[in-house]
Amino acid sequence: WEINNEIDWPHFWKSGLPAYADYLKRAARALRAVDAKNVIVLGGLATDGVNAFEYDKTKATANTLEELYKLGAGPDFDIVALHPYSWKDDGIAISIKKIQTAHGVMRAHGDADKRIWCTEIGLSTNHNPPWSDYSEEQQARALRDMYTKLLEHPNVDKVFWYNFRCKGTDRNSQEDNFGIVNNDMTPRK
């Protein structure tokens, strides 16, 4: 059970980290009461849980993972979910660094053995630099390389590509072009 999404980005979570820590604790308690085997996934962090970024005039919260540990949330999640995107040519190295950064915080708080899921990773093929101007062939290579390299990290168990299907057909829209099949479900190159 993933408890919310991108809790470090006010676009998705507007109530602050103390409120999220309380929400997570209540959700974990309720889910474990129903079935002790339920797996609780921390709401996917928009980056590495340490460094902030700004996108679409909204700034992500820095040091989110550290703050959650300070708020006592460590026992309330079993998996750390990350969104280690990168739109650079050396994107895989940047994505791996994001995973290592988060894992460093986890290790510092006694959670070195907790698993990491990359619940969002992707590359848009929109024609709108600076965020993207990648071909479908480059996207396909990135998908193969990202899955291969990210799953080599000893704590990464799962990688989820964002999105399977393109959300729309506007070639200039970043959101419309993350899919690995076209909006009409036809194969991409």
Side-chain angles (χ1 to χ4, degrees), residues 102-158:
H103 190 254
V105 175
M106 294 162 62
R107 188 174 47 252
H109 290 277
D111 278 347
D113 293 333
K114 277 191 180 174
R115 314 313 295 157
I116 295 172
W117 291 1
C118 299
T119 53
E120 279 188 34
I121 191 81
L123 187 68
S124 180
T125 60
N126 68 301
H127 301 299
N128 192 9
W131 291 105
S132 181
D133 197 13
Y134 294 96
S135 68
E136 291 176 13
E137 292 85 1
Q138 287 172 305
Q139 182 197 49
R141 278 193 304 276
L143 184 148
R144 179 198 64 221
D145 294 346
M146 285 180 185
Y147 271 81
T148 302
K149 295 295 184 190
L150 296 178
L151 288 169
E152 287 177 357
H153 189 283
N155 286 76
V156 174
D157 281 342
K158 299 187 186 307

Side-chain angles (χ1 to χ4, degrees), residues 45 54 56 59 80 85 88 90 115 167 170 182:
L45 300 174
E54 188 170 336
D56 199 23
K59 188 168 183 165
V80 171
Y85 286 98
K88 306 287 184 193
D90 57 350
R115 314 313 295 157
K167 288 183 177 182
D170 180 353
N182 291 311

Side-chain angles (χ1 to χ4, degrees), residues 1-3 31-32 35-41 78-79 117:
W1 297 89
E2 185 173 359
I3 311 302
L31 288 164
R32 289 176 176 145
D35 185 346
K37 294 179 187 173
N38 275 329
V39 175
I40 312 302
V41 181
D78 304 305
I79 305 287
W117 291 1

Side-chain angles (χ1 to χ4, degrees), residues 9 11 53-60 87 131 174-175:
W9 194 28
H11 181 74
F53 72 98
E54 188 170 336
Y55 176 75
D56 199 23
K57 299 179 184 172
T58 305
K59 188 168 183 165
W87 288 273
W131 291 105
Q174 184 179 20
E175 277 298 314

Side-chain angles (χ1 to χ4, degrees), residues 52-69:
F53 72 98
E54 188 170 336
Y55 176 75
D56 199 23
K57 299 179 184 172
T58 305
K59 188 168 183 165
T61 305
N63 299 311
T64 300
L65 196 50
E66 178 71 30
E67 186 64 26
L68 288 171
Y69 278 112

Side-chain angles (χ1 to χ4, degrees), residues 7 13 15-26 29 42 61-77 105 109:
I7 58 171
W13 183 262
S15 301
L17 291 179
Y20 177 77
D22 182 59
Y23 175 65
L24 175 65
K25 181 181 291 302
R26 291 171 188 263
R29 193 176 298 147
L42 182 68
T61 305
N63 299 311
T64 300
L65 196 50
E66 178 71 30
E67 186 64 26
L68 288 171
Y69 278 112
K70 286 179 182 176
L71 291 167
D76 299 319
F77 60 88
V105 175
H109 290 277

